[in-house]
């Protein structure tokens, strides 16, 4: 069984036994600790084996695999998660701007407010990324119906006198 499959199976079992909130509490602490390490040395590549990182973090290889699953979308060269084993050496080249954007998207306030970001992006740059994120999720109706346009129901009346009442 692949490590990635072990990770997904472990999450299901963990939630069944201890509950969803307990899972998130434990996972968020592990994730925060790893990101602090990565962000504090953001100019360097982050290289490790999954087993070594798990030992260093005092956790299981499955939780580290979960971290890799989460960060994979923010890597310059995404990893093939299905083929990873605990003894594989992994090098993370993180696209920091994309990572910050993805943290906003995940609503991971505990991550995008880490103090380590202060040494990476200026407050202006962070606001610029936040604006890009907000623009990406904002829904705009390009075909807005004007009050005096013909009604879309086909009645021949103006919208304001028909369906727009």
């Amino acid at each position: 069984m692949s490590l990635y499959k072990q990770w997904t199976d472990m999450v299901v079992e963990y939630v069944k036994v201890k509950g969803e909130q307990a899972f998130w509490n434990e996972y968020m602490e592990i994730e925060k600790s790893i990101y602090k390490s990565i962000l504090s040395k953001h100019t360097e590549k982050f290289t490790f084996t999954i087993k070594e990182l798990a030992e260093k973090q005092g956790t299981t290889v499955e939780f580290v695999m979960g971290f890799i699953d989460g960060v994979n979308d923010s890597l310059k060269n995404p990893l093939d998660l299905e083929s990873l084993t605990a003894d594989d050496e992994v090098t993370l080249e993180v696209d920091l701007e994309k990572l910050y954007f993805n943290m906003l998207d995940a609503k991971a306030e505990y991550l995008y407010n880490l103090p380590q970001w202060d040494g990476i992006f200026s407050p202006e740059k962070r606001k610029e990324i936040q604006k890009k994120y907000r623009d990406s999720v904002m829904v705009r109706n390009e075909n807005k119906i004007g009050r005096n346009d013909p009604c879309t129901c086909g009645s021949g009346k103006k919208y304001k006198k028909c369906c727009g009442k």
Side-chain angles (χ1 to χ4, degrees), residues 1-12 48-55 59-70 79-90:
M1 180 185 325
S2 76
L3 188 55
Y4 182 74
K5 177 82 170 115
Q6 285 176 270
W7 152 245
T8 56
D9 291 349
M10 185 274 297
V11 171
V12 171
F48 57 92
T49 68
I50 295 173
K51 188 186 290 183
E52 288 171 353
L53 186 57
E55 289 170 9
T59 190
T60 64
V61 293
E62 289 86 5
F63 271 111
V64 173
M65 185 66 214
F67 165 77
I68 294 169
D69 183 19
L79 304 167
D80 177 14
L81 300 178
E82 291 288 342
S83 68
L84 288 178
T85 68
D87 295 317
D88 288 343
E89 185 170 270
V90 176

Side-chain angles (χ1 to χ4, degrees), residues 13-160:
E13 191 59 32
Y14 194 109
V15 169
K16 278 184 194 173
V17 175
K18 297 181 182 178
E20 189 172 348
Q21 191 58 50
F23 166 78
W24 283 112
N25 290 343
E26 185 170 346
Y27 178 75
M28 287 172 14
E29 286 307 311
I30 295 164
E31 189 178 36
K32 190 186 312 183
S33 176
I34 297 171
Y35 275 122
K36 282 180 180 179
S37 298
I38 291 174
L39 296 175
S40 63
K41 298 175 186 171
H42 67 275
T43 57
E44 303 169 19
K45 291 180 182 175
F46 193 64
T47 303
F48 57 92
T49 68
I50 295 173
K51 188 186 290 183
E52 288 171 353
L53 186 57
E55 289 170 9
K56 185 177 175 185
Q57 293 295 322
T59 190
T60 64
V61 293
E62 289 86 5
F63 271 111
V64 173
M65 185 66 214
F67 165 77
I68 294 169
D69 183 19
V71 76
N72 202 38
D73 289 341
S74 302
L75 300 179
K76 293 177 182 174
N77 302 308
L79 304 167
D80 177 14
L81 300 178
E82 291 288 342
S83 68
L84 288 178
T85 68
D87 295 317
D88 288 343
E89 185 170 270
V90 176
T91 299
L92 304 181
E93 278 188 87
V94 181
D95 179 334
L96 295 170
E97 199 168 318
K98 193 172 185 183
L99 177 63
Y100 191 80
F101 183 95
N102 289 339
M103 287 177 175
L104 291 168
D105 190 37
K107 296 173 183 37
E109 188 173 337
Y110 66 101
L111 295 176
Y112 64 76
N113 284 330
L114 287 171
Q116 286 79 4
W117 284 111
D118 297 339
I120 299 171
F121 295 133
S122 67
E124 294 80 21
K125 180 66 175 172
R126 288 168 78 172
K127 284 181 184 172
E128 178 187 317
I129 297 169
Q130 289 169 350
K131 184 177 179 342
K132 283 183 193 172
Y133 167 70
R134 282 193 306 273
D135 289 347
S136 75
V137 295
M138 192 173 294
V139 178
R140 289 187 169 77
N141 185 356
E142 298 296 327
N143 301 327
K144 188 173 180 182
I145 303 167
R147 292 175 28 119
N148 290 316
D149 290 343
C151 190
T152 55
C153 74
S155 67
K157 297 179 183 178
K158 288 185 179 183
Y159 180 74
K160 68 182 178 186

